[in-house]
Amino acid sequence: MNRNSLRIAAPAALLALAFGLSACGAANESDDSGSKGTDTKVSGTLNAGGSSAQEAAVNAWKKAFQTTNPDTTVNYDPVGSGGGREQFLAGGLAIAGSDAYLDDDELAKAKELCKGDVVEVPVYVSPIAVIFNLDGVKDLNLSPKTIADIFAGKITTWDDAAIKADNPDAKLPSEKITPVHRSDDSGTTQNFTDYLSKAAEGAWTAEPGQTWPIKGGEAAEGTSGVVAAVTGGKGTIGYADESQAGDLGQAKVKVGDTFNAATPEAAAKVLDTSKPVAGRSATDIAIDVDRTSTEAGVYPIVLASYQIACQAPAKDAALIKAWLTYVASSDGQAAAAAGAGSAPLTAEFGKKVQAAIETIKVS
Amino acid sequence: MTSTQAPAPGRAPIRRPGDRIFSGVSLGAGLLILAILAGVAIFLTVQGIPGITASPDEVKSGKSFLPYVWPLVYGTLIAATVAMLIAVPVAIGVALFISHYAPRRLGQTLGYLIDLLAAVPSVVYGLWGIGFLAPHLVPFYAWLDEHLGFLPFFGPASATGRTILTASIVLAVMILPIMTAICREIFLQTPRLHEEAALALGATRWEMARLAIFPYARSGIVSAAMLGLGRALGETLAVAMVLSVGVGTVTANLIGSDNPSTIAANIALGFAEATGKSVNALIASGLVLFVITFLVNFAARSIVDRRKEFSGAN
Amino acid sequence: MTTTLTPPPVDVSRELYGARLPTWGPRAVITAAVAAAAAAYAVGVNLLQAALLAWVICMVLPLWSAAVEGRRKATDRLVTTLVSSAFVLAMFPLFSILWTVISKGTKVLSAEFFTNSMRNVVGEGGGIYHALVGTLLITGAAAVISIPIGIFAAIYLVEYAEGNRLSRWIRFLVDVMTGIPSIVAGLFAYALFVLFFGEGVRMGIGGSVALSVLMIPILVRSTEEMLKLVPNELREASYALGVPKWRTVSKIVLPTSLAGIVTGVTLSIARVIGETAPLLIIVGTTDSVNFNLFDGRMASLPVFAFASQRNPGIPPEFSIDRAWGAALVLLIIVMLLNLIARLVSYFFSPKGER
């Protein structure tokens, strides 16, 4: 194999060399070399990867972070949460982005890898909207049980009594309902089914999971696929990140006695009322989102996506710490909200997150 | 070929250094391919076996391997078969049109355009499938359901058109360029003399094609079809985007909204979020696809007459 | 073609002077078909049905021919109609896709788009320079790896193997290789490179290896077919002149089949240049320029297009426009490759009757 790879490598290297000599950097990267010097800034390359849901937010963070720290390059491979966690646990990535917190097995492995504790912080919170496309209907109120029955195929027409009961003023046609779900495994499906199984008063019997668990309905790939299918069909209903819902109608979801819309503020607020997962250390802010919260102004269908790093990273500790500190800061959260439509962490919750990041040891 | 090289008895063949090096390099390249393939096979087997033996509660699907993979195998075969049924005749027709029917200059330009399409990324085919093809096929599917609904293939029609038949059409379009290009090159290589001989005997153009072109090009057409089939079996992203997949569905209905997934699309849909044994299960399904390709090729090769290795001017 | 040909009994007078359709016949039928379809479309029939109508009208031609010219001519006309309609049928989706890519991709093309990377760009602006560099280097290296292996393997199969068992296995396994899903090729490359470089490896050359796994079978199959088509008379003539076998292969066989081989090479490059999944796994992605195939992540056009389309951020338009732009640039690259390939085969092929 070695001789082969040498034979393979030699012409390829020549090619690379020829290309490298003749080419120059991108026009917008030329100013990088000029601004060296200030030694308070960090430098180096940070390799992260995982959740593709975070990608747009990471792009916004990268822009600001690389501008203030011009000698850094942050790479983020959107390979998916599972891939991100696996590669982090194998020691291949400095930071994993994940739509789900590490489970107990993974946590044990991570502690072994890190030779110490793990810092796991939710930094990207995205409300998941129930989107629909129905002629003549703009506003729709739905209770959790009704949503579960619609997606389970028990409620099949829009003028069903259960929907009418929540929307006494709406003119609901007798059109057929086509529910649309994600065909790929995703954190969005995980959070949506988790919500249904906890909040729908027993109407949803399937186990929550990243794979859509039941038969029936239409399936589409990715957030954009669901949005496209709901937009293209008639009488369709689906679930997708609120920021990508576009002009589609978004249902208000019943929380306690009121119907709340999927807004960033309401989504961030639910984290405050949720309980941390039992048995985790102070730096591991894993959260089971409180789906049945009855507090005013919360929206319980949210996706909380984490970034995971070692508490005492073997290398680039300063860089990792600087990155996470920025990401969790109010500036970072605002940048993600502007670039990706995520919900900024509340000040109170942000403090908890910052305290965890503060424990990262820079030797 | 062999006869020209056979040395006279009792006389050792002359082996020049150039010959030895050249044949050595050629053999080396052939063996290297075997090594690569062995590498892929070993990789798939080693990584796949834990997925095959995993107990149902260790993997995300919650099923043991066979019930998990069977609907995928079914979907893969259906999608690829329908795609081939559409693409093979069309590809041969298009290639024949370009090589022997169209005016020469026009044919070249058109061939050039078709070659371009081999480069369109899968994601574009996927977007085209969702955004253009599927909605346009909805009325057609409704018609099929209404008038041919007694056939098992045309059950209740999907309201969005994102069915396995649509996926097969997208696959057919995707494999068309490569099949057309190879068929075209081979048709163009038919010796002029054969064609002119056929025409001189009073054959019509179609009879000329049947007598002179097809016998000459048969092995090449099979190769082209196999390449197309390979791509149809292994295509991931476009199918994943276009198809509305159900959970473990097995149905004969080609135009419904609850469709079986294909192995490759299922890998694409599940891989990003998979961990532990679920990854192994996905790779094991890749191994199954590998075996299917193996069997299909085996069958195709045995059916096609391979006696004429050199269909050329022998 | 050495056997004596016995001429089939042909009624010469009928064949030469028999009834024929008027020369304007086919043209008239096609014109009528197009006109009818256009009229139907204008009235409000949908495109599919209008096309079907045109096709049905075209089918009049073989029937007419059967009535006037007899069965053989009619069959010929039927096949001509079928072949032509296969062509039109294929052109429809092909043009529809080309048009989609071109119309959506052209609006972002600008000098900035080609010279800037995506470093520190959110929202509007930015470009694909980094991805362009990555795609050219990775695909180029893949071609450098695959072309010699593929062509030499094909030479082995056609010229040296003489149908032995090994060659049958190679041929068969190459066919099996065509069915490897691209993501499996990526996983294989990743597993291979992890053996040498440890976990978390990302380098451009790994992507080239993954692409080679996909490229080699196409190359071997197409090259093999083209080599087989070289008439044996040419080889025998060369041997008869005392030319060594390797020179016969390199000077006679390869140049004769050059046009076909070059088509195969371009096709195989076109096939892999748009691959997303393997590159995402082993090459990763970055938003800065990286010229080094052997160190670190590189961006590539398909991964860039895929990620931009999938996670566009808000507002999504800018990112999605860039995705279409990247797809269009891929097409343009392949168009240029094709052009180069045509020129190569034009200047280096022996001039023959074709």
Side-chain angles (χ1 to χ4, degrees):
Chain A
M1 253 333 182
N2 265 337
R3 193 189 293 163
N4 281 335
S5 58
L6 196 70
R7 198 173 67 203
I8 287 164
L14 276 177
L15 192 85
L17 193 68
F19 208 101
L21 286 176
S22 62
C24 52
N28 56 331
E29 291 182 31
S30 51
D31 57 341
D32 283 1
S33 53
S35 48
K36 278 182 183 168
T38 39
D39 41 5
T40 51
K41 303 221 166 124
V42 289
S43 63
T45 301
L46 180 66
N47 289 325
S51 159
S52 57
Q54 284 191 32
E55 198 195 5
V58 170
N59 284 341
W61 290 326
K62 274 200 291 200
K63 177 186 177 185
F65 188 72
Q66 290 177 157
T67 311
T68 44
N69 305 283
D71 294 335
T72 58
T73 296
V74 180
N75 294 319
Y76 188 84
D77 298 335
V79 289
S81 304
R85 289 201 303 277
E86 290 252 305
Q87 291 184 14
F88 173 76
L89 294 178
L93 293 172
I95 291 179
S98 172
D99 294 346
Y101 53 78
L102 296 172
D103 63 28
D104 293 341
D105 286 353
E106 288 169 330
L107 188 63
K109 272 191 214 162
K111 283 182 171 164
E112 201 177 304
L113 168 90
C114 292
K115 300 194 179 69
D117 220 330
V118 175
V119 172
E120 181 171 41
V121 286
V123 289
Y124 174 83
V125 179
S126 172
I128 300 168
V130 177
I131 52 177
F132 63 93
N133 183 9
L134 187 60
D135 283 344
V137 180
K138 282 253 164 62
D139 298 305
L140 193 65
N141 294 332
L142 292 175
S143 70
K145 186 170 183 307
T146 314
I147 299 177
D149 282 341
I150 290 175
F151 277 93
K154 285 178 206 146
I155 295 179
T156 53
T157 54
W158 281 105
D159 57 354
D160 192 279
I163 306 179
K164 273 187 177 161
D166 288 339
N167 302 279
D169 303 330
K171 276 194 201 159
L172 293 163
S174 63
E175 213 169 308
K176 215 178 120 224
I177 302 180
T178 307
V180 183
H181 59 261
R182 289 278 288 267
S183 61
D184 53 332
D185 293 0
S186 67
T188 311
T189 300
Q190 161 95 47
N191 280 285
F192 188 66
T193 49
D194 185 50
Y195 166 75
L196 292 182
S197 77
K198 283 180 182 150
E201 301 152 31
W204 186 262
T205 49
E207 284 282 306
Q210 293 173 324
T211 317
W212 186 254
I214 56 167
K215 277 180 186 278
E218 188 90 8
E221 194 258 357
T223 302
S224 54
V226 171
V227 172
V230 172
T231 313
K234 277 191 176 161
T236 44
I237 185 166
Y239 57 94
D241 291 76
E242 188 267 338
S243 58
Q244 298 298 325
D247 300 331
L248 285 169
Q250 298 182 11
K252 286 182 179 165
V253 170
K254 192 171 192 180
V255 179
D257 292 326
T258 57
F259 290 94
N260 293 351
T263 60
E265 297 75 36
K269 207 170 169 189
V270 79
L271 286 197
D272 292 345
T273 68
S274 302
K275 288 194 181 65
V277 178
R280 300 283 172 124
S281 67
T283 59
D284 185 351
I285 310 184
I287 290 211
D288 281 326
V289 176
D290 183 9
R291 309 291 183 190
T292 50
S293 169
T294 51
E295 245 171 272
V298 307
Y299 184 80
I301 320 178
V302 300
L303 163 76
S305 191
Y306 299 80
Q307 291 204 350
I308 304 164
C310 288
Q311 196 182 23
K315 57 177 192 178
D316 294 332
L319 181 58
I320 292 170
K321 189 172 183 177
W323 165 261
L324 286 176
T325 307
Y326 168 70
V327 162
S329 70
S330 55
D331 283 355
Q333 290 294 310
S342 67
L345 299 174
T346 58
E348 187 190 345
F349 195 80
K351 265 183 214 149
K352 256 181 14 193
V353 170
Q354 285 289 4
I357 294 166
E358 201 51 49
T359 65
I360 293 179
K361 295 187 187 77
V362 180
S363 52
Chain B
M1 271 241 11
T2 39
S3 58
T4 57
Q5 280 293 289
R11 219 182 101 196
I14 307 165
R15 295 279 292 175
R16 299 175 188 82
D19 262 342
R20 222 168 304 153
I21 294 169
F22 204 80
S23 70
V25 170
S26 303
L27 179 63
L31 291 177
L32 186 61
I33 290 181
L34 287 189
I36 295 173
L37 198 78
V40 175
I42 291 168
F43 162 75
L44 284 175
T45 316
V46 170
Q47 296 279 312
I49 282 176
I52 297 175
T53 56
S55 68
D57 50 336
E58 284 177 307
V59 290
K60 220 189 272 177
S61 60
K63 292 179 198 158
S64 57
F65 188 67
L66 271 182
Y68 169 66
V69 86
W70 154 241
L72 302 175
V73 172
Y74 177 80
T76 307
L77 291 178
I78 291 282
T81 310
V82 177
M84 292 299 279
L85 286 179
I86 300 170
V88 171
V90 174
I92 293 177
V94 173
L96 203 59
F97 183 82
I98 291 175
S99 66
H100 285 81
Y101 281 75
R104 207 158 148 58
R105 198 156 287 275
L106 179 69
Q108 268 177 347
T109 319
L110 295 172
Y112 184 72
L113 271 180
I114 293 180
D115 284 358
L116 274 188
L117 282 153
V120 175
S122 304
V123 56
V124 172
Y125 280 105
L127 289 173
W128 178 77
I130 316 175
F132 179 85
L133 186 63
H136 280 82
L137 285 173
V138 171
F140 174 60
Y141 290 158
W143 183 87
L144 279 180
D145 182 25
E146 207 174 305
H147 295 93
L148 295 171
F150 56 89
L151 292 172
F153 314 117
F154 306 123
S158 156
T160 56
R162 295 166 56 253
T163 71
I164 198 137
L165 185 55
T166 310
S168 298
I169 295 174
V170 172
L171 280 178
V173 175
M174 291 181 82
I175 62 181
L176 204 57
I178 199 159
M179 287 172 40
T180 306
I182 293 176
C183 289
R184 181 191 72 214
E185 286 301 323
I186 287 162
F187 292 165
L188 280 174
Q189 298 281 347
T190 316
R192 248 283 145 90
L193 283 176
H194 292 202
E195 294 172 10
E196 283 169 359
L199 291 174
L201 292 174
T204 61
R205 191 149 51 167
W206 163 239
E207 286 160 348
M208 182 269 283
R210 236 181 37 201
L211 293 171
I213 302 177
F214 287 155
Y216 183 80
R218 185 166 48 181
S219 134
I221 294 175
V222 173
S223 275
M226 286 294 121
L227 279 179
L229 178 66
R231 181 152 197 204
L233 287 171
E235 176 53 42
T236 45
L237 204 57
V239 178
M241 288 172 78
V242 170
L243 199 57
S244 163
V245 297
V247 184
T249 311
V250 175
T251 170
N253 185 3
L254 295 177
I255 58 170
S257 62
D258 192 19
N259 299 289
S261 187
T262 71
I263 290 177
N266 184 61
I267 294 178
L269 292 173
F271 192 79
E273 298 298 327
T275 50
K277 288 277 168 67
S278 301
V279 177
N280 295 117
L282 287 175
I283 294 179
S285 73
L287 181 64
V288 172
L289 178 57
F290 198 72
V291 174
I292 292 176
T293 326
F294 201 89
L295 294 177
V296 168
N297 271 295
F298 196 74
R301 289 278 159 224
S302 351
I303 292 167
V304 176
D305 179 14
R306 296 290 298 173
R307 274 174 307 166
K308 275 202 247 169
E309 275 301 314
F310 282 73
S311 45
N314 285 352
Chain C
M1 280 293 154
T2 45
T3 48
T4 328
L5 293 165
T6 43
V10 176
D11 180 355
V12 172
S13 66
R14 185 174 156 65
E15 200 55 29
L16 287 182
Y17 304 111
R20 291 258 178 104
L21 288 189
T23 43
W24 49 264
R27 235 170 287 163
V29 171
I30 290 171
T31 316
V34 171
Y41 188 60
V43 170
V45 180
N46 77 27
L47 197 61
L48 199 76
Q49 284 164 345
L52 207 63
L53 177 69
W55 190 73
V56 169
I57 294 177
C58 282
M59 277 298 154
V60 167
L61 194 60
L63 293 178
W64 184 14
S65 167
V68 179
E69 294 175 316
R71 194 184 51 80
R72 283 180 58 219
K73 282 275 181 187
T75 315
D76 187 44
R77 293 213 190 259
L78 176 69
V79 172
T80 307
T81 317
L82 286 179
V83 163
S84 312
S85 44
F87 180 76
V88 174
L89 183 71
M91 279 299 113
F92 184 66
L94 300 186
F95 272 108
S96 159
I97 288 169
L98 271 188
W99 174 246
T100 313
V101 176
I102 292 170
S103 61
K104 293 195 175 181
T106 38
K107 60 182 164 196
V108 289
L109 296 190
S110 65
E112 190 199 356
F113 191 65
F114 284 102
T115 55
N116 278 27
S117 69
M118 284 302 290
R119 190 178 167 91
N120 301 345
V121 175
V122 168
E124 204 174 356
I128 53 158
Y129 182 64
H130 59 313
L132 190 60
V133 168
T135 284
L136 290 180
L137 286 177
I138 293 170
T139 318
V144 169
I145 298 171
S146 317
I147 293 174
I149 296 179
I151 291 183
F152 272 110
I155 289 175
Y156 174 75
L157 291 179
V158 178
E159 306 291 335
Y160 287 99
E162 290 158 13
N164 61 17
R165 183 171 295 184
L166 177 66
S167 76
R168 281 205 298 275
W169 272 104
I170 293 178
R171 193 171 286 132
F172 177 59
L173 292 174
V174 161
D175 283 347
V176 175
M177 248 172 117
T178 60
I180 296 177
S182 53
I183 193 166
V184 169
L187 290 171
F188 165 69
Y190 183 73
L192 185 71
F193 275 64
V194 163
L195 285 183
F196 295 114
F197 299 97
E199 201 59 58
V201 58
R202 294 282 193 288
M203 49 173 83
I205 194 73
S208 306
V209 169
L211 295 187
S212 295
V213 172
L214 301 170
M215 217 172 145
I216 287 173
I218 301 177
L219 265 169
V220 176
R221 289 312 273 156
S222 59
T223 310
E224 192 199 347
E225 288 306 327
M226 298 311 151
L227 291 180
K228 274 200 220 160
L229 294 178
V230 175
N232 262 352
E233 286 91 335
L234 287 181
R235 295 188 182 88
E236 282 157 9
S238 171
Y239 296 146
L241 293 171
V243 179
K245 184 162 187 171
W246 72 278
R247 287 188 69 88
T248 306
V249 172
S250 56
K251 296 282 174 185
I252 307 289
V253 178
L254 285 180
T256 310
S257 49
L258 189 67
I261 294 177
V262 166
T263 304
V265 169
T266 353
L267 271 176
S268 65
I269 292 177
R271 163 76 180 85
V272 299
I273 203 170
E275 277 301 342
T276 316
L279 297 188
L280 192 56
I281 292 170
I282 172 77
V283 187
T285 178
T286 174
D287 52 14
S288 312
V289 179
N290 175 10
F291 284 108
N292 190 346
L293 274 172
F294 297 90
D295 182 34
R297 291 161 169 76
M298 295 174 99
S300 56
L301 287 171
V303 173
F304 176 78
F306 173 70
S308 305
Q309 179 267 332
R310 208 185 150 109
N311 303 301
I314 53 170
E317 291 80 27
F318 300 122
S319 189
I320 287 171
D321 284 351
R322 282 195 294 264
W324 285 107
L328 177 60
V329 172
L330 266 180
L331 268 189
I332 295 172
I333 293 176
V334 173
M335 196 169 77
L336 293 176
L337 267 177
N338 251 311
L339 207 64
I340 296 169
R342 304 264 148 158
L343 290 177
V344 166
S345 57
Y346 179 78
F347 283 112
F348 293 96
S349 292
K351 304 288 174 285
E353 46 190 342
R354 283 191 188 266

